Amino acid sequence: MRGALRGVSELSLVPRARYRRNLPLHVVGLALLFLVPGMLLATLVEWVSATSHGERPLLTAALITAGVGAVLFSWFRPPDDVRPSDVFPVVVWTWLSCSLLGGLPYVLDADVFGWAQWDSALFESISGFTASGSTVLTDIDSHGRGMLLWRQLTQWYGGMGMVVLAVSVLPLLGVGGQELMRAEAPGPDSDRLAPRISGTAKRLWLLYAGLTAAVAVALFAIPGVGLYDAVAHALTAAGTGGFSPHGDSIGHFTSLAAELVMAAGMIAGAMSFSLHYRALRGDWRAYRRASDQMLFLKILLAATATITLLLWLRQGASFGLSLRDAFFNVVTLATSGGFHNIRPGGLGDFAAWTPPAQVILGVLMLIGGGAGSTSGGMKVFRAQISAAHALRTVRLARRPRSVVPVKLGGAVIPEHVVGRVLGFGTLYIMTFGVGSLIVASLGAEPVTAVSGVISALSNMGPALGEAGPSSDFTVFARPARLVLAAFMVVGRLEITAVFLGAAVILRHLQGRR
Amino acid sequence: MRPAADPPARPIPTGRRAGARASTNLAVWAAGWATLVCGGAMVLSGLVGLADLGPAAALAGLGLGCAAAGRLGVRRARLPAHPPPMAIFAAACGAWLMMIVTSTAAYLLTGATGSLGIAAFESVAGFCTTNLSGLTGIQSLPAAVLFWRALTQWLGGFAALALLAAALPLHVPALVLPGDSAGVPDRASAPPFKTQLRRMAVVYGTLGGLCAASYGLADMGALDAFSYAFTTVSTGGFGNYPGGLGHFDSTAVESVATVFMALAGVSATTLWWAVRGRWGVLWHSFELRAYLLLLAVGTGALTALTWSDGGAHALRRAGVAVAAASSSTGFEPARWSGWPWGAQALALALIATGGMAGTAGGGFQMRRAIAAARYAYRELVTEIHPHTVHVVKIGRRSVAERPLALLNGYQILFAAAVLAGVFGLSLAGMDLWGGASASISALATMGPAPGADLGALGGGERSVLAVLMLLGRLSFFPLVVVAGAAATGARRLLDTERHDAGRRS
């Protein structure tokens, strides 16, 4: 009787479903705590800056974030085991919470957005954490250095992923850690770099920090680039983000060297970090073995060559200028970097390029970078598998009884992987179609609407049409901006995680497991 | 038309040579039939337009010649007992090629145009049931030419249905016919080609007759009533006057067009069972319900987006536009350029989606869209429950894995063709929105496209649009497979010649 009562008591006090719901809150708390050092660093920079606009908003935001994070982390204890269905709400809640509290400095500072423009603050924050780079901030150079550094830092945090960061210090998550990482950035590149998943996460973050430092040093070595600018741009180059503390982005430096360094940083960020790790361990051939990464580089070369010719022949620019601007903008769009190099006498405004060149840019935006990287888009391996499947379909149409496997780099791809890729592609197209319709219905011109949605889904930054690099996302109506912000999260979490996270959260709300 | 499914018993051809022979024979047979039917239609057009003797005589003369040549081809071809898929694709390509060639000759001979490119483009648009035209001064063309022009769309629509019936046993254009709505669960129990073709002919002919009678009741002249009926039922959209249906400025004409366009977007097999009194088939057809829902939601949304034009007027215009876009009938109800951006984007989305499978219409088609959505849902569920076995269903019927794989391939080809089309059209000088819109519209065999000025097309634009129309009309596979086989054949020939040259030296 007593035992039975104890059982009843345990069941009522700690029901299994409620216990599972602790996991997202626990991870959210930890992720928020990670934001605090960044906010404090930005506060410090604002404080010491000669053109300080006041550090109080940043400091207040840091204190609130620390408080909320500490309460969530310590109050809600996670379960011992993690089921596949548990990880998706964790990822969705983590990204939403970080975006909400990450936008606090913007609303607390009336010079930036203030409470009246909470939606713009949320947009800017989501654009930062998803490493998109689309902005609704006007007259960027006039804001405080600390605030702008925080803006850059949001992209740095988001580039590698908040959940990866959380997993690196959450040994208690055990097996579920890998599932979480996959949910945040799914793909074939789930290689373990260390026996423990937390070790893998730590190595990824170390690599990321190392790449950032390398870009910062290289930029600082260029005459005319100060320490603040070098660090600020390095933070967003490695994360293929696209934010810049200057309104004219990389064009501010009018330096070919700066463009090349940024391009190198973006390309490195858009390639698999596991491969970088192996290369650092001496296995340089790892790059050649990864067919999707090699194809990504070939795509960059082919697109650069084609657009150079188009600009040279159709727009009457010199060959050198065409090559320079074609290369930088191809890299920035294919890696979902989102920087631009508009400068006097240049061709940096790709929204004004000849239409065929813009079509190529649109395709690059859709495809994105390599798997296991910080870039957005569909990813090259998915494009490869989709193309291989389309060819297989043509063969099957001719010989209906034949068995034709899908191959990638000589290896046969299992059917369930092909199925997932095709399912992802279908969801991507549907999301893109619905999003374009909604944004166009909210008053955006079709090219701007369609490219804006592609840009948001691919975490790109600038779009085509009226939302090109010489403009910003204020061309969209305020409701449309919120829609685009939602699509940025959908794109950053590669669609599947958001759909499943929403489904699981809905089930929880309905009281079902 | 002589059925393919009634040949004398012969052994199944095996080997590359036998397959090639079967393909050639079936292609010649189909091309012969196409030429014969076109010849007959030309003679009929000549008789209709006798008032203007010159063009009518030229058309009738050409028709007699085509009929004779076509009959020769049909008699000479030896039909294979079990045609391989390649043979059916070759037959489809052969038939369309001959229809285009004969029609091009007709336009040139009657003096409708002096340009080979424009004549060929007009023919492609006609047989692909797309309302794109290179001709100028349409209202001043002879009656014989106008009737022939409308007939090309009617014949093209029927040829598309015949291709569906022929390809059904192959499962090639995935999910081409609505098995559940026709009461046909799978290919094993699917009716033979001859039966399918007969049913489609009955439905298609009846619908055309009813449409012509309705247009007549709406005060159209006989020539116009038949011409517009041909192009409505076939989801073509060619008209005898510029400005589409707007020329008549008649609510009755627009109402008739709306009803018959919506019906043309319903599967021919579904309509067949409805005609036979099996209303339960209509009720249980998931695809039909989805199509009707799309029409209703689309009309509501478009009315709301264009409400500023005035409620009743907006509703009337939205109804015509949604029926035209969903069935890919190219009647342009109004100048799309004056619509809000959202309305234009919605119209384009409807064009891309298209009507039900098993119609003469184009687009991605409802059945494929439903299956693709269900497939994506299954893959999502598999993420959470990796070990579950989840079957994709449309209505009550499950869809096998092979058609799903083909459907996914079709989807990728569709997207790739749109992108290639936009690139080609932008190279030819179109702007981005116009290029994207025209590319999707041509691929969906619609024609007019929101945001695209397709009034005066250049040679490059016509070439790109013609390829897109053919790809869309033939559902990609016949054209792609035949082109691939031709390329492979050419490569083999070159290899052989190189090898022989090496041996000789």
Side-chain angles (χ1 to χ4, degrees), chain A residues 84-85 88 182 186 306 310 314 354-360 363 366 385-387 389-390 392-403 415-416 418-427 429-430 436-437 440-447 450 464 495-497 499-500 503-504 507, chain B residues 16 84-86 89 170 172 187 305 340-347 349 369-370 372-386 402 404-413 415 419-420 422-423 426-434 477 480-481 484-486 488 492:
Chain A
S85 59
F88 298 106
R182 277 193 58 216
T306 313
L310 284 169
R314 290 196 155 218
T354 177
Q358 293 190 48
V359 176
I360 296 173
V363 174
L366 270 174
I385 290 178
S386 300
H389 178 73
R392 166 168 77 166
T393 312
V394 174
R395 285 184 191 161
L396 285 176
R398 192 174 169 188
R399 298 189 180 86
R401 289 177 191 169
S402 59
V403 177
E415 281 305 313
H416 72 272
V418 177
R420 281 188 185 183
V421 168
L422 297 175
F424 173 87
T426 306
L427 276 176
I429 291 170
M430 286 180 173
S436 303
L437 257 181
S441 301
L442 291 169
E445 178 265 335
V447 171
V450 170
L464 301 173
I495 300 179
T496 315
F499 275 98
L500 291 175
V504 175
R507 282 168 61 129
Chain B
R16 192 179 294 154
M86 183 63 200
F89 295 148
L170 304 175
V172 171
R187 65 173 173 159
L305 286 166
W341 294 124
Q344 292 192 32
L346 179 62
I370 295 167
R374 292 278 164 87
Y375 181 84
Y377 175 74
R378 179 180 77 173
E379 294 307 317
L380 273 180
V381 171
T382 314
E383 285 276 345
I384 298 183
H385 305 291
R402 180 59 66 102
L404 281 176
L406 292 168
L407 162 74
N408 281 312
Y410 180 88
Q411 185 180 318
I412 298 163
L413 289 174
L419 286 175
V422 181
F423 185 71
S426 65
L427 266 181
M430 273 196 189
D431 63 295
L432 274 183
W433 170 231
F477 291 106
V480 174
V481 168
T488 310
R492 280 204 192 111

Side-chain angles (χ1 to χ4, degrees), chain B residues 168-245:
Chain B
L168 177 65
L170 304 175
H171 265 188
V172 171
L175 310 152
V176 286
L177 281 181
D180 59 349
S181 56
V184 181
D186 51 41
R187 65 173 173 159
S189 54
F193 173 73
K194 187 179 173 182
T195 313
Q196 288 276 13
L197 202 63
R198 186 170 51 81
R199 289 175 181 174
M200 286 175 174
V202 169
V203 168
Y204 197 62
T206 311
L207 214 56
L210 285 174
C211 186
S214 306
Y215 275 135
L217 289 174
D219 272 353
M220 263 194 190
L223 176 68
D224 286 345
F226 276 102
S227 301
Y228 277 86
F230 288 151
T231 57
T232 305
V233 170
S234 63
T235 71
F238 271 169
N240 294 345
Y241 311 95
L245 293 175

Side-chain angles (χ1 to χ4, degrees), chain B residues 103-175:
Chain B
S103 177
T104 304
Y107 285 124
L108 290 173
L109 272 180
T110 54
T113 176
S115 158
L116 177 67
I118 290 176
F121 181 74
E122 197 73 13
S123 305
V124 171
F127 288 110
C128 291
T129 66
T130 311
N131 185 15
L132 286 173
S133 179
L135 296 179
T136 49
I138 287 170
Q139 69 275 26
S140 57
L141 287 175
V145 175
L146 288 176
F147 195 76
W148 164 245
R149 197 163 161 264
L151 266 178
T152 58
Q153 293 210 316
W154 197 73
L155 292 175
F158 188 70
L161 289 174
L163 176 61
L164 290 182
L168 177 65
L170 304 175
H171 265 188
V172 171
L175 310 152

Side-chain angles (χ1 to χ4, degrees), chain B residues 27-43:
Chain B
V28 170
W29 179 81
W33 263 112
T35 315
L36 180 60
V37 173
C38 282
M42 281 178 199
V43 173

